[in-house]
């Protein structure tokens, strides 16, 4: 196995190699190569004819480039890509309880997770109260040093990525969004001022055709839109080129099972988020990737079935 981690997050893959060496995994089983992607280590690995299978986690555009490279030599690919995941909130839930449940989905890590919820659809009778409740939750998130136990919001991975997220923040206003909260850079103490800090941001009022609603931002933000009935909620949730994850918040058990078959996503959480048995399949549909990841079925990607027939 040859691992090429992101140039912005190289440490964990390297530490895993050190752990493997410490516990006696034979040399050469796990190898780490550092570098960039295009015209560098990443592209060279994916184009090399001795690489027989490629698995990748990252943005959709990079996944498409890897898939093209893998076509030379007909190599296997497994891709876990981006998402523009919907969260659906039904009226029987208390707005404050629903906001508390969904709070981490747009703002966790902060927003730099493919399973985050950047589109929130709320049944109209509780829409205004839900927006106000989620605004309170977002504004209560305290940015700070990761080692500080009172910190609830860290920085983005880099200043370059912050500029990308701020581009979408500006684009939302250009498209006519109602800015509920956030939208800028928080003031931080001098000791932290150099970090890629950004405010958790909520919008309403955008059309579903807006780039802010359709494209993955990968920042601590979400757009909230009302809906009137279950069919409309399903239509809005599925109106995306992605199909990675979805969350549904409802007290109606029958509805939760019904929507579980109607939402086009690889994993669907009911009244929860990030809850998963690691032995179960995980993967996306459409532009969120191909191939499922799970301990019990993953061996099928890393091995090839061979049929040996013997005449006796």
């Amino acid at each position: 196995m040859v691992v090429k981690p992101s140039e912005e997050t190289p440490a964990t893959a390297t530490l895993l190699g050190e752990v493997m060496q410490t516990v006696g995994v034979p040399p050469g089983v796990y190898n780490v190569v550092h570098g960039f992607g295009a015209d560098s280590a990443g592209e060279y690995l994916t184009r090399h004819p001795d690489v027989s299978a490629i698995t990748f986690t990252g943005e959709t555009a990079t996944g498409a480039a890897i898939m093209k490279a893998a076509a030379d030599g007909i190599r296997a690919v497994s891709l876990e890509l981006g998402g523009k995941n919907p969260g659906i909130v039904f009226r029987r839930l208390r707005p404050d309880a629903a906001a508390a449940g969904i709070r981490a989905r747009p703002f966790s890590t902060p927003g730099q997770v493919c399973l985050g919820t950047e589109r929130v659809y709320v049944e109209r009778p509780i829409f205004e109260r839900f927006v106000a409740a989620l605004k309170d939750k977002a504004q209560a998130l305290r940015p700070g040093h990761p080692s500080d136990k009172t910190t609830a919001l860290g920085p983005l991975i880099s200043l370059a990525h912050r500029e990308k997220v701020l581009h979408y923040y500006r684009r939302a206003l250009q498209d006519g969004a109602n800015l509920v909260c956030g939208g800028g850079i928080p003031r931080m103490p001098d000791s932290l001022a150099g970090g890629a800090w950004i405010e958790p941001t909520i919008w309403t009022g955008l059309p579903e055709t807006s780039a802010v609603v359709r494209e993955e931002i990968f920042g601590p933000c979400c757009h909230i839109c009302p809906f009137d009935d279950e069919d409309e909620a399903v239509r809005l949730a599925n109106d995306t080129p992605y199909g990675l994850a979805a969350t549904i918040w409802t007290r109606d058990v029958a509805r939760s099972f019904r929507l579980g078959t109607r939402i086009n996503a690889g994993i669907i959480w009911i009244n929860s988020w990030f809850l998963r048995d690691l032995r179960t399949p995980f993967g996306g549909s459409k532009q969120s990737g191909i191939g499922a990841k799970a301990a019990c079925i993953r061996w099928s990607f890393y091995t090839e079935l061979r049929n040996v027939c013997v005449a006796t």
Side-chain angles (χ1 to χ4, degrees):
M1 176 182 290
V2 180
V3 177
K4 205 295 284 183
S6 166
E7 60 273 15
E8 294 180 331
T9 57
T12 50
T14 303
L15 289 171
L16 179 58
E18 293 178 3
V19 170
M20 287 188 174
Q21 187 177 46
T22 300
V23 300
V25 174
V29 172
Y30 177 87
N31 309 273
V32 181
V33 174
H34 293 291
F36 294 89
D39 197 29
S40 185
E43 182 176 349
Y44 301 155
L45 278 170
T46 58
R47 293 193 178 279
H48 199 286
D50 288 343
V51 174
S52 57
I54 305 164
T55 181
F56 170 76
T57 299
E59 65 177 359
T60 298
T62 304
I66 289 172
M67 205 168 178
K68 291 177 182 178
D72 291 335
I74 318 296
R75 277 91 52 72
V77 293
S78 174
L79 307 172
E80 197 269 280
L81 306 177
K84 192 71 175 179
N85 309 305
I88 303 174
V89 181
F90 285 92
R91 63 190 295 177
R92 289 181 60 191
L93 291 169
R94 295 197 331 271
D96 57 338
I102 210 167
R103 180 188 67 173
R105 317 322 173 242
F107 309 127
S108 178
T109 67
Q112 298 168 123
V113 56
C114 58
L115 297 170
T117 303
E118 293 187 2
R119 297 183 295 139
V120 182
Y121 299 104
V122 181
E123 199 165 5
R124 196 175 298 275
I126 65 169
F127 176 74
E128 297 294 341
R129 288 177 292 157
F130 176 88
V131 171
L134 190 60
K135 174 185 177 181
D136 290 342
K137 301 296 183 185
Q139 290 182 322
L141 296 172
R142 180 185 177 277
H145 196 282
S147 64
D148 187 338
K149 292 182 179 181
T150 64
T151 294
L153 194 73
L156 295 178
I157 188 65
S158 68
L159 294 175
H161 182 57
R162 183 175 70 177
E163 183 52 39
K164 174 191 172 184
V165 176
L166 286 172
H167 162 76
Y168 282 103
Y169 282 16
R170 294 189 291 267
R171 177 67 182 271
L173 299 181
Q174 293 169 3
D175 289 353
N178 170 46
L179 179 62
V180 176
C181 66
I185 300 172
R187 296 186 63 179
M188 301 297 293
D190 290 343
S191 60
L192 298 174
W197 305 98
I198 197 165
E199 293 176 334
T201 300
I202 300 172
W203 306 283
T204 62
L206 284 172
E208 292 295 299
T209 55
S210 169
V212 174
V213 179
R214 299 200 63 80
E215 298 174 12
E216 184 181 39
I217 299 173
F218 222 60
C221 59
C222 67
H223 178 257
I224 312 177
C225 174
F227 69 87
D228 291 305
D229 56 43
E230 183 178 307
D231 288 340
E232 183 183 17
V234 171
R235 178 181 61 79
L236 291 168
N238 287 337
D239 184 20
T240 174
Y242 297 101
L244 186 58
T247 57
I248 301 169
W249 298 83
T250 179
R251 290 182 177 179
D252 188 331
V253 176
R255 169 178 279 159
S256 68
F257 281 102
R258 188 166 60 246
L259 290 182
T261 65
R262 299 184 67 191
I263 302 297
N264 297 328
I267 187 166
I268 299 171
W269 286 287
I270 309 298
N271 299 332
S272 62
W273 182 68
F274 239 64
L275 177 67
R276 185 169 71 93
D277 187 321
L278 295 180
R279 296 167 296 182
T280 59
F282 170 73
S285 60
K286 299 188 280 187
Q287 292 188 29
S288 288
I290 56 175
K293 295 175 172 63
C296 61
I297 63 173
R298 192 57 173 160
W299 294 113
S300 62
F301 177 76
Y302 292 105
T303 59
E304 291 185 351
L305 184 64
R306 180 174 298 169
N307 186 356
V308 179
C309 302
V310 179
T312 59

